[in-house]
Structures are given as C-alpha cells and as structure tokens.
Amino acid sequence: MSSEKTNQSWGGRFSEPVDAFVARFTASVDFDKRLYRHDILGSQAHARMLTQTGVLSEAERDAIVAGLDEIRREIEAGTFEWRVDLEDVHMNIEARLTERLGVVGKKLHTGRSRNDQVATDIRLWLRDEIDAILAELNRLQQGLLQLAEAEADTIMPGFTHLQTAQPVTFGHHLLAWFEMLSRDHERLVDCRKRVNRMPLGSAALAGTTYPIQRQVTCELLGFEAIGGNSLDGVSDRDFAIEFCAAASLAMMHLSRFSEELVLWTSAQFQFIDLPDRFCTGSSIMPQKKNPDVPELVRGKTGRVFGALTGLLTLMKGQPLAYNKDNQEDKEPLFDAADTLRDSLRAFADMVPAIKPRREIMREAARRGFSTATDLADYLVRKGLPFRDCHEIVGHAVKYGVDSGKDLAEMSLDELRRFSDQIEQDVFAVLTLEGSVNARDHIGGTAPAQVRAAVKRGLELLAKR
Ligand code: ARG
C-alpha cells in the first residue's frame, strides 16, 4: 500500500516521500504548463480512441472529454492550482481530472505513458508555433517586396569588405534579404513534416498490450504519419534540434539585417531613417535616437544558437529510450521559438516603415569610384584584354584619389591620358544609372530586374 505521503501517481513502490528539494529539482511544471492546451487535445484524442477499441465506455469518454474541457477553462481563467508536488503538466491535469471525476479520471492513462504523452505534446505545440512563425515570416517578406518595388530605381553603393564596390539599387539590396528569408521558409516547412509525426502509442518505450488504434489518434490529432518504432518514438528529439537549426539560420539572417540597419541609421551613413516608435533615447545624451530593435534582435540571436547547441549536447550521450534528461528539451525549445517569433514580428512591423534617404545613398555611390569596373568593362568592349583594362583603370583611380576627382568628374582629355581607346561615349558608362542598368540579367541589380524579381516573389508568396 502506498503511504499517504508518497506521490499519488507513482508512490506505490516507495517507502518514504521524495525529499522536498528533490521534488522541486525534478519538477517541470513551472515551464511545461504552457503545453496544457496540447496536452488536453492529446488526452481527448486518446480517450476517443480507447472508446473505439472498447477499452473505455462512451459514457466514460464523454466524462473525460468534458472534464478536460472544463480544466482547460479553469487554466485559462487562472483558477487552476498548479502543484509542484505533482511534477509536471501531465500529472497536474490528470490529478485534477480524477479529483473531478473520481475513478473514471484514473482510466485516462490506460495504454499510455508520460513518455509518449510528452513527446506528443511538444510536437503538437511546435507545429502550432511553426505555423505562427511562418505567418510572421510571410508578413516580413511581403513588406520587403513592397519596399523593393518602391525602391527599384534608388541607387546606393554596394559593398564588399564594407568598402564601396559597385553601385546597386536599394530594391536589389532589399531582395537579398527576401531571398534569405525564402530559404528560411522552405526549411521550416520541411522541418514541420518531421515535427508532424506521432509518437503516441509508443507508451513507456515498448508499446502497449491494450488494443490501441494509432491511425485513429493520428487522424484526430492531424499528424501526417505514425512514428514507426516505439523506442525511437519516446526518445527522438531530432525535430526540436532541426527546428532550432532552422531558427538559428533565420536569426543569423535577421542579425545581419540588423547590423546593416544599425550602420545605416548611424550619423556616419545616414542611409535610412527608422520611425521613432522603433527606437529609444538615451537618459544622458539628449541627441540620441538608438536603433534598439535591430540591436536587440542581433543580441537575441545568441540565445537561439545556444538552444541549438544545448539540445545537441542534451541528446548526444543518451542511450535508448526515454531518459529524464529529455525534460531539459523544453526551455531551450520554447525560448528559441519565442525569440524567433518575436524578432520576426518586430521586423515585419518595422520594415515597411523604413525611410530611405535617397540623396545621401546616391551621393555615397557617386563617391568612392564605384563605376571603376564599368570603365574596365568599357575598355574590354573596345577590344583590350581585361587584365590590361584593370591596370589602366587602376591608374585612373590613383589619379582621382590624388586630384580629389571621381571618374565621372574627369574631362575626356584627363581620361584619355590612361588610354586612347576612351571616347566621348564613356560618360554614359560612368553614370550610376548606366552602371546599374547594364547588369540586366536574372539576379542582377538593374531596376528592370528588380521589378521582375518582385513579381516572382509575389508569385512565390501567393503559392504558399
Ligand atoms: N516531465 C517529463 C518530461 O518533460 C515528462 C515525462 C516523464 N516521464 C518519466 N518517466 N519520468 O520529460
């Protein structure tokens, strides 16, 4: 007989209650209670299935389903009392159900274990999170396309090594971010397929002796497939790791994006303005307007990388099947999902509000010899080998640096000092518009190509 003081769910073989600190140390309810909605959905599907196979009566099923609905309402109303001595979300809900229904409540756990229960809950929860994340991602991509369309003709310097390289259009630059986010979307959609496989029915590790019909619960819960091995079913956390890997890449992209926004809003660049509502001031320097949102997103990226590393490390030493270690999967996973979702939301709100300072961008592109490659290409078209052209233009740039003149500011006579192949038509090539318009192929920076890419992007979003 279990003593009064041992745990009511598993105290049967214990002769003394668990140490008070150990009870707190091993409990997960403080963080896994956020799985309550999915835990209840899983339990209701399980009870329905057990009725179809004759394990529970219809009256028992109805009492369990209604009782769980009532518990969900209690939780949402804030009247549910979460108890640390009941360890986790699963036992808290089951204990409350038994309190309400008596012996019927105790039948719910037939043919099931917390091991397959928790694995099911996390997958159901993550599936919903991925859908919410994809919606924010979509919103952000929509905003990027809109801005890219509006800025298809806006010229700015393109950089390599953060040094002015060649002129590009701002629309083209924005679409580079769109491209990264499209890959993130693909990765999350693909990851969702492996999240959406059902471990329920694996029971503790070996399956169950009760007549269960896993196709029934699979269909009720909207899983795409049933996990094919019970040992793997209770212990697999690949789906969580995959999600964190996809989330890490997405955060890395947002972090790079953030870095550019931070640079561009600085007094040194002044390429863009962010509206005040996305910035904060300084308590000591009255002139300051800080780009806190991008800075914070850049900073939060580390948490998501940490979650990925944490989960990989959590799994690497575990023998089959379930081990208590797995309880440590939740906090990093929750944090990674929250961080990505909030960061995407902030960006989706902020991007359409970016105000480019077109004159400053243009002026920056005009300076810094950004059309030097165009001059070299011009000489190639006149029949010179590219390496010689590179050399000739190098001399012209050196002269420009010494005399404080950009290439387009030199006279024809000055330019002809470096090659007699240079003629009046060179000035069309040295203009910023000439330079961007010349890169007129799929993936190039020409305004016409930016518009075509926006169109392709809109088609992609419409297909989702
Ligand atoms: N709270 C546990 C977890 O998060 C639930 C499963 C517990 N299973 C067990 N055999 N102790 O993993």
Side-chain angles (χ1 to χ4, degrees):
M1 273 262 311
S2 73
S3 121
E4 284 283 292
K5 288 185 188 118
T6 59
N7 185 290
Q8 67 183 72
S9 299
W10 42 250
R13 59 106 63 223
F14 285 72
S15 52
E16 60 171 355
V18 74
D19 175 85
F21 171 71
V22 172
R24 260 188 292 129
F25 184 69
T26 55
S28 53
V29 64
D30 283 347
F31 50 85
D32 68 15
K33 63 183 171 200
R34 77 182 277 185
L35 296 173
Y36 77 90
R37 221 160 34 80
H38 301 93
D39 190 70
I40 286 172
L41 282 175
S43 291
Q44 289 175 326
H46 182 66
R48 290 196 163 102
M49 182 277 292
L50 289 179
T51 302
Q52 287 197 30
T53 62
V55 175
L56 293 180
S57 72
E58 292 187 359
E60 287 170 333
R61 174 200 62 200
D62 292 346
I64 287 173
V65 169
L68 288 169
D69 278 338
E70 197 47 46
I71 290 172
R72 185 180 49 236
R73 281 191 280 273
E74 286 177 12
I75 295 171
E76 284 167 1
T79 57
F80 187 91
E81 191 206 338
W82 295 102
R83 284 171 46 188
V84 175
D85 61 311
L86 289 171
E87 262 186 70
D88 54 28
V89 61
H90 324 293
M91 295 209 288
N92 267 271
I93 290 176
E94 193 188 315
R96 179 71 182 127
L97 189 70
T98 301
E99 197 174 277
R100 297 176 66 98
L101 305 183
V103 76
V104 178
K106 294 189 189 173
K107 291 191 179 180
L108 169 63
H109 212 51
T110 312
R112 183 176 80 165
S113 153
R114 275 186 295 154
N115 298 350
D116 59 342
Q117 187 179 357
V118 69
T120 303
D121 292 3
I122 310 170
R123 286 171 185 265
L124 289 173
W125 176 86
L126 186 55
R127 192 177 70 184
D128 280 353
E129 280 310 299
I130 290 176
D131 290 343
I133 287 166
L134 289 174
E136 293 295 1
L137 196 52
N138 218 54
R139 206 159 64 82
L140 171 55
Q141 288 194 283
Q142 205 86 46
L144 280 170
L145 288 181
Q146 251 172 48
L147 194 58
E149 173 82 50
E151 305 302 330
D153 298 298
T154 306
I155 291 179
M156 65 179 282
F159 299 92
T160 60
H161 313 268
L162 202 57
Q163 311 289 321
T164 298
Q166 292 171 357
V168 295
T169 50
F170 185 41
H172 191 57
H173 195 115
L174 292 164
L175 290 181
W177 287 325
F178 179 86
E179 202 80 1
M180 297 179 223
L181 295 172
S182 296
R183 293 194 294 273
D184 292 324
H185 194 281
E186 277 174 35
R187 260 186 292 272
L188 285 165
V189 166
D190 199 59
C191 164
R192 191 189 189 280
K193 292 181 201 154
R194 283 172 295 280
V195 170
N196 204 17
R197 288 183 191 159
M198 189 184 77
L200 192 62
S202 303
L205 74 164
T208 176
T209 57
Y210 292 94
I212 58 167
Q213 278 185 6
R214 300 185 70 196
Q215 320 77 267
V216 173
T217 35
C218 178
E219 202 161 303
L220 285 171
L221 293 169
F223 279 111
E224 280 169 58
I226 299 171
N229 180 289
S230 61
L231 295 165
D232 182 50
V234 291
S235 57
D236 168 35
R237 295 294 183 272
D238 293 3
F239 66 94
I241 296 174
E242 254 191 80
F243 170 77
C244 288
S248 292
L249 278 164
M251 287 300 298
M252 179 271 283
H253 292 149
L254 292 184
S255 185
R256 295 178 64 189
F257 195 163
S258 295
E259 172 60 14
E260 294 198 335
L261 296 179
V262 170
L263 282 173
W264 292 357
T265 50
S266 70
Q268 287 66 32
F269 274 84
Q270 297 181 46
F271 280 9
I272 59 164
D273 262 328
L274 288 177
D276 288 358
R277 64 182 183 281
F278 296 103
C279 301
T280 60
S282 158
S283 53
I284 172 164
M285 297 166 282
Q287 85 282 13
K288 295 273 285 190
K289 175 174 155 184
N290 298 326
D292 283 36
V293 170
E295 288 176 88
L296 206 48
V297 167
R298 191 178 57 189
K300 281 178 185 289
T301 299
R303 303 164 71 124
V304 180
F305 295 0
L308 173 61
T309 312
L311 288 184
L312 283 167
T313 314
L314 174 69
M315 295 310 295
K316 74 176 278 294
Q318 286 196 49
L320 288 172
Y322 177 87
N323 302 284
K324 185 74 168 179
D325 312 41
N326 285 341
Q327 183 165 291
E328 287 291 304
D329 62 355
K330 286 169 212 59
E331 287 163 293
L333 181 64
F334 292 165
D335 193 63
D338 290 345
T339 305
L340 178 58
R341 188 173 167 175
D342 289 351
S343 302
L344 285 168
R345 180 186 165 167
F347 265 70
D349 290 344
M350 186 174 63
V351 161
I354 291 176
K355 292 273 166 287
R357 305 176 107 182
R358 301 191 185 97
E359 271 318 304
I360 293 181
M361 284 187 179
R362 189 186 171 80
E363 185 53 28
R366 217 182 48 74
R367 279 180 277 112
F369 306 98
S370 69
T371 54
T373 314
D374 297 274
L375 178 56
D377 292 345
Y378 168 88
L379 290 168
V380 169
R381 284 196 296 276
K382 299 272 171 179
L384 299 183
F386 181 78
R387 275 296 151 223
D388 292 346
C389 303
H390 188 286
E391 170 88 17
I392 291 167
V393 178
H395 289 303
V397 167
K398 182 162 187 311
Y399 169 76
V401 171
D402 295 342
S403 61
K405 285 183 187 170
D406 205 79
L407 293 172
E409 290 165 347
M410 294 176 196
S411 67
L412 185 58
D413 283 345
E414 278 175 303
L415 285 168
R416 284 178 64 87
R417 282 189 222 161
F418 308 102
S419 166
D420 56 14
Q421 299 293 309
I422 298 178
E423 291 162 73
Q424 188 60 39
D425 61 352
V426 75
F427 292 104
V429 163
L430 295 181
T431 64
L432 296 171
E433 273 72 16
S435 173
V436 293
N437 279 320
R439 286 162 174 83
D440 191 16
H441 52 77
I442 294 178
T445 193
Q449 292 297 334
V450 171
R451 292 199 174 87
V454 168
K455 192 158 163 281
R456 287 197 302 274
L458 288 171
E459 281 161 14
L460 180 77
L461 297 194
K463 271 194 248 130
R464 284 178 179 164

